[in-house]
Amino acid sequence: MIRRARVSDAKGIAKVHVDSWITTYRNIVPDEYLDGLKYEDRERLWNRNLQHSTAFVAENEIGEIIGFADGGKERSGNYPDIGGEVYSIYILKAYQGRGVGKLLMRAISNELLANDIQSLIVWVLKENQSSGFYENLGGKVIDEKYITIADKQIPELAYEWADIGQIVKRK
């Protein structure tokens, strides 16, 4: 089930956030950074974020949060033709490949469309094995940059959807 996130979801989102980083970014992001991630720190972050962001959670059949996504207006201002951005999307490893990511992307896209935003961008670590997910949803690589995590330069790719209606319509 996909639903709008509430501030009370911060703990569940934090668990998904930390666990997903550890399973997804091992051998990409330095181990000392991943090993230092703490649920409490991420819970505080999400307590703040959820007060002013648009986020959705995915729950399993017993109501546990297994994934989340948040987004809104494109933040950098470097892409004047792109109105929206998916800031983060994470799904527990055990639930990846089951369509949860597509449902979360659809929820964010519907929210952006309701706010008259027709296009979006998402930044993805280049070595992330989930990159194919964005291509399968119709995203096109339009840019690359480097970010620094724990003193390591890591390449990121920007995927764009000029018409996010295609995410909403995709089966």
Side-chain angles (χ1 to χ4, degrees):
M1 180 179 96
I2 306 296
R3 64 170 174 78
R4 188 174 295 280
R6 302 180 287 262
V7 173
S8 61
D9 294 322
K11 187 173 189 165
I13 290 172
K15 180 171 179 10
V16 170
H17 199 168
V18 169
D19 291 353
S20 295
W21 266 68
I22 290 169
T23 58
T24 303
Y25 298 143
R26 187 69 69 191
N27 301 317
I28 300 172
V29 170
D31 286 348
E32 62 269 14
Y33 182 85
L34 295 175
D35 295 341
L37 292 174
K38 296 190 176 15
Y39 296 121
E40 299 81 17
D41 294 341
R42 294 296 162 151
E43 184 177 352
R44 279 192 294 279
L45 170 80
W46 283 104
N47 268 317
R48 285 190 309 272
N49 287 355
L50 290 169
Q51 296 189 35
H52 54 74
S53 76
T54 300
F56 293 88
V57 294
E59 293 179 325
N60 65 13
E61 54 282 343
I62 60 171
E64 296 171 325
I65 295 174
I66 58 160
F68 71 92
D70 71 324
K73 292 185 178 193
E74 194 278 324
R75 297 176 287 189
S76 74
N78 296 331
Y79 307 93
D81 294 335
I82 301 173
E85 182 175 354
V86 172
Y87 306 144
S88 59
I89 178 168
Y90 292 104
I91 300 152
L92 292 175
K93 187 172 182 71
Y95 292 91
Q96 292 175 7
R98 297 184 183 187
V100 175
K102 190 185 315 181
L103 293 173
L104 286 167
M105 286 290 287
R106 189 176 293 150
I108 290 287
S109 296
N110 277 323
E111 182 72 18
L112 292 172
L113 286 169
N115 288 292
D116 202 30
I117 296 173
Q118 309 296 318
S119 56
L120 73 81
I121 191 171
V122 63
W123 286 93
V124 182
L125 296 184
K126 187 174 185 176
E127 296 176 50
N128 183 343
Q129 294 181 352
S130 299
S131 295
F133 164 75
Y134 301 101
E135 293 165 12
N136 290 338
L137 272 180
K140 307 284 184 239
V141 175
I142 60 160
D143 204 355
E144 181 173 351
K145 69 178 180 182
Y146 285 82
I147 60 168
T148 303
I149 300 176
D151 296 325
K152 180 179 179 186
Q153 291 283 318
I154 302 172
E156 274 190 314
L157 298 176
Y159 286 87
E160 176 203 19
W161 287 262
D163 173 13
I164 58 178
Q166 67 180 308
I167 295 171
V168 174
K169 295 173 192 161
R170 197 172 286 270
K171 299 288 179 204

